[in-house]
Amino acid sequence: MQKNLPHKNKMKDIKIIGIDLGATNIRGAVVKDEKISDIISRRIQTKGTEEQVLDDVYSLIDTLIDKDVKAIGIGVPSVVDVKLGIVYDVVHIPSWKEVHLKELLENRYHIPVFVNNDANCFALGEHYFGKGKGADDMVGLTLGTGLGAGIIINNHLYAGPNCGAGEFGCVDYLDNNYEFYCSGSFFNNVYGLNGEEVFKNAQKGDAQALKLYGEMGTHLGNAIKLVMYTYDPKLIILGGSVQLAYEYFEKTMWERIKTLVYPKSVEQLKIERSALENSGILGAVALYFDAEEVRKTESQ
């Protein structure tokens, strides 16, 4: 089965593999001419050696690849040397301290490979396929167990020379950092509570759960103010599991955002919730198209 995808520009009729490497699973699919193939998902040997985890990656790509595939994009939960495609200290995969992933994959498959972190892939996926289409500048915020971000400037991903742009969650805040207070881990970090249980209770209208979400919304509003002061986007797209509870923290979040000293910026700001399925895979595919756009711009 193939699904029609929304689109930023008319893409070439080429096949690209998108890979989303997570903490416990690896997922992949082939995208061609605005369509995504059935997604293959497999568990990875999280505690395995570097080579064992690589074998999991190879196995999935081997299943997807054929002679018509022109490139591979892969998103990973780590810091990445984007130019060389080296991934460092991959989250929840202890053996992946320094993996020359681009070189290894290109040597094996003999096609271009593009590697970036998962938050940047989320932003690119939204920019090319989701609610970020047509936005010259935007920020994608992933609200899950952590707080990640990807930044689009002048229609291109901006990752910084060390792939560290957008690490708003690491900025000092109160007695810790923004991620501590602005993610699904907030409930456990501050109150020792299970976030899923708090969500279920909020759905039932539990006053205490709703109060906790309101508190988290205040912190998130402060984080968004940081984004506004540093990048001043007109569009922020929220992804990750926590955005499913948006109705419970929307009010307090906006109350804090409206304390920004530039009211015109607040008036123009749009905050959207991601509705894009498989944004990690699609964002990995979009790494190729973003690189092509950069290449064309530089050659002009």
Side-chain angles (χ1 to χ4, degrees):
M1 176 184 177
Q2 297 207 329
K3 297 169 276 189
N4 289 323
L5 295 176
H7 215 270
K8 177 190 171 193
N9 298 311
K10 177 63 179 175
M11 291 185 182
K12 298 176 182 177
D13 185 21
I14 59 177
K15 294 173 72 172
I16 301 173
I17 291 175
I19 301 293
D20 181 15
L21 179 63
T24 57
N25 291 279
I26 182 171
R27 303 168 68 250
V30 177
V31 173
K32 177 185 177 182
D33 193 25
E34 308 187 22
K35 295 175 183 175
I36 183 170
S37 71
D38 285 342
I39 293 167
I40 299 174
S41 179
R42 294 177 179 171
R43 293 190 67 82
I44 56 173
Q45 302 173 74
T46 305
K47 303 301 182 184
T49 65
E50 177 181 321
E51 290 73 21
Q52 286 174 323
V53 180
L54 277 169
D55 284 341
D56 293 334
V57 176
Y58 295 151
S59 176
L60 182 63
I61 296 175
D62 288 348
T63 304
L64 295 168
I65 201 161
D66 61 36
K67 62 181 178 62
D68 297 321
V69 171
K70 301 301 182 185
I72 298 169
I74 181 166
V76 295
S78 71
V79 174
V80 180
D81 180 324
V82 175
K83 184 176 180 180
L84 298 178
I86 303 171
V87 301
Y88 297 97
D89 301 312
V90 178
V91 176
H92 300 305
I93 305 179
S95 64
W96 275 33
K97 296 296 184 184
E98 180 181 327
V99 180
H100 294 236
L101 192 56
K102 175 182 173 70
E103 179 182 1
L104 289 165
L105 294 179
E106 288 185 342
N107 287 342
R108 182 180 177 93
Y109 298 106
H110 309 292
I111 56 177
V113 175
F114 302 88
V115 186
N116 216 303
N117 76 28
D118 49 1
N120 285 338
C121 287
F122 166 73
L124 265 185
E126 288 293 334
H127 185 55
Y128 274 85
F129 298 97
K131 292 183 177 179
K133 290 185 299 177
D136 294 339
D137 304 278
M138 58 158 279
V139 171
L141 289 180
T142 57
L143 308 172
T145 53
L147 173 65
I151 300 165
I152 305 294
I153 298 176
N154 294 331
N155 281 309
H156 298 305
L157 176 68
Y158 178 73
N162 302 302
C163 199
E167 293 293 340
F168 303 109
C170 297
V171 176
D172 291 345
Y173 176 67
L174 300 179
D175 61 340
N176 206 288
N177 60 23
Y178 278 98
E179 183 171 84
F180 188 87
Y181 288 95
C182 303
S183 67
S185 300
F186 161 76
F187 306 102
N188 182 60
N189 290 341
V190 180
Y191 293 104
L193 299 174
N194 181 285
E196 291 184 6
E197 290 298 319
V198 176
F199 178 58
K200 291 177 182 177
N201 290 336
Q203 289 178 307
K204 298 174 185 176
D206 179 78
Q208 182 61 25
L210 294 173
K211 181 180 178 181
L212 292 175
Y213 269 110
E215 185 177 335
M216 193 204 75
T218 295
H219 298 305
L220 180 59
N222 286 332
I224 290 175
K225 285 175 63 178
L226 174 65
V227 174
M228 295 298 293
Y229 284 131
T230 51
Y231 286 96
D232 191 29
K234 289 186 178 180
L235 174 64
I236 294 174
I237 300 176
L238 304 181
S241 58
V242 177
Q243 63 94 4
L244 299 174
Y246 184 71
E247 63 183 295
Y248 307 131
F249 60 79
E250 176 185 13
K251 181 175 181 290
T252 54
M253 178 191 75
W254 275 106
E255 285 174 351
R256 288 305 302 161
I257 294 171
K258 289 177 180 177
T259 65
L260 198 80
V261 298
Y262 305 117
K264 195 67 177 177
S265 296
V266 177
E267 289 176 19
Q268 295 179 345
L269 174 64
K270 288 183 64 177
I271 296 180
E272 299 276 6
R273 296 171 57 191
S274 175
L276 186 63
E277 294 182 12
N278 307 306
S279 58
I281 291 173
L282 293 172
V285 167
L287 290 171
Y288 167 81
F289 294 104
D290 188 62
E292 280 291 289
E293 291 294 328
V294 171
R295 184 186 62 80
K296 290 176 183 177
T297 300
E298 291 176 346
S299 64
Q300 290 175 353

